[in-house]
């Protein structure tokens, strides 16, 4: 009597189990695809605050200025959106060539140009404040042949509002413009209210005084006409 064959049942069992194994092996892959799809459908998180954003630059401009003013114990400046808009509009007019030409508006004004676009507001203000070494507070004048009007505008005690901008030049580099209100750098007036830090103002002048426009290379506040006759 021939032995019964068990092969068909084994094959049947294998055929039944195989889809189960395959299904189990595919499950992780399917789960991963599902997660990727959900992630792709979600809105990406907002990017971190950029160093090139306007709010960041506003804080940096203000902080750098007030650091200099604290050294002479003058009241801290406040950020003013009106001044910032004025600076930005002038910057957009100059963005094609970025020549350091003053706007000759109603405010004090400092300009900074850098050949590369890595320059920061802090570095611009530090560049202006280094002119401290060329300012003689006793005679209320710049050293001969040197510029100090950027520094005196920064510390001008009556200036209480600040607005600045930073624009990329189409010709390369960056241009930074800061506006100050009330403006400083008036003839025969000192950035200090008393003789504690510098010469006392010896004469009052018309607040609307503006000297003749300086050359295009000028970068300091146009309100200051120093003893050597240069307008910086």
């Amino acid at each position: 009597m021939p032995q019964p064959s068990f092969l068909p049942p084994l094959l049947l069992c294998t055929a039944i189990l195989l889809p189960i194994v395959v299904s189990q092996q595919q499950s992780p892959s399917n789960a991963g695809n599902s997660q990727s799809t959900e992630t792709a459908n979600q809105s990406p998180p907002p990017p971190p605050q950029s160093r090139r954003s306007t709010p960041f630059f506003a804080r940096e401009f203000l902080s750098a200025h007030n650091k200099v003013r604290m050294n002479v114990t003058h009241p801290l400046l406040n950020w003013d959106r009106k001044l910032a808009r004025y600076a930005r509009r002038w910057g957009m007019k100059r963005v094609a060539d970025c020549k350091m030409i003053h706007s000759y508006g109603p405010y004090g004004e400092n300009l900074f140009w850098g050949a590369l676009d890595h320059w920061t507001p802090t570095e611009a203000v530090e560049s202006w404040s280094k002119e401290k070494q060329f300012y003689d507070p006793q005679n209320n004048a710049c050293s001969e042949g040197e510029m100090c009007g950027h520094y005196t505008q920064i510390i001008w005690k009556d200036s209480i509002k600040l607005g600045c901008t930073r624009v990329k030049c189409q010709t390369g580099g960056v241009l930074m413009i800061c506006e100050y209100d009330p403006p400083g750098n008036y003839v025969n007036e000192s950035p200090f209210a008393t003789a504690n830090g510098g010469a006392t103002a010896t004469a009052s002048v018309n607040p609307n005084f503006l000297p003749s426009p300086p050359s295009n290379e000028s970068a300091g506040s146009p309100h200051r006409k120093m003893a050597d006759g240069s307008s910086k």
Side-chain angles (χ1 to χ4, degrees), residues 106-159:
Y107 311 116
E109 185 173 83
N110 280 346
L111 307 179
F112 175 93
W113 176 80
L116 300 177
D117 63 1
H118 69 278
W119 294 99
T120 66
T122 297
E123 291 170 327
V125 176
E126 288 176 347
S127 174
W128 295 331
S129 65
K130 286 179 181 178
E131 294 176 3
K132 177 182 179 180
Q133 61 185 312
F134 304 123
Y135 174 63
D136 179 359
Q138 298 304 318
N139 295 313
N140 190 32
C142 302
S143 300
E144 185 177 357
E146 300 293 348
M147 199 182 295
C148 67
H150 299 89
Y151 169 69
T152 54
Q153 174 59 86
I154 291 175
I155 66 167
W156 200 266
K157 191 169 185 178
D158 289 341
S159 296

Side-chain angles (χ1 to χ4, degrees), residues 8 18 22 24 41 44 55 66 80 114 123 129 147 160 163 179 201 203 221:
L18 185 58
V22 172
Q24 291 175 346
N41 290 335
N66 283 334
D80 187 86
E123 291 170 327
S129 65
M147 199 182 295
I160 58 175
E179 307 291 335
S221 171

Side-chain angles (χ1 to χ4, degrees), residues 33-49:
N33 290 339
S34 176
Q35 292 174 355
S36 299
T37 302
E38 291 174 0
T39 303
N41 290 335
Q42 292 176 351
S43 299
Q49 180 84 335

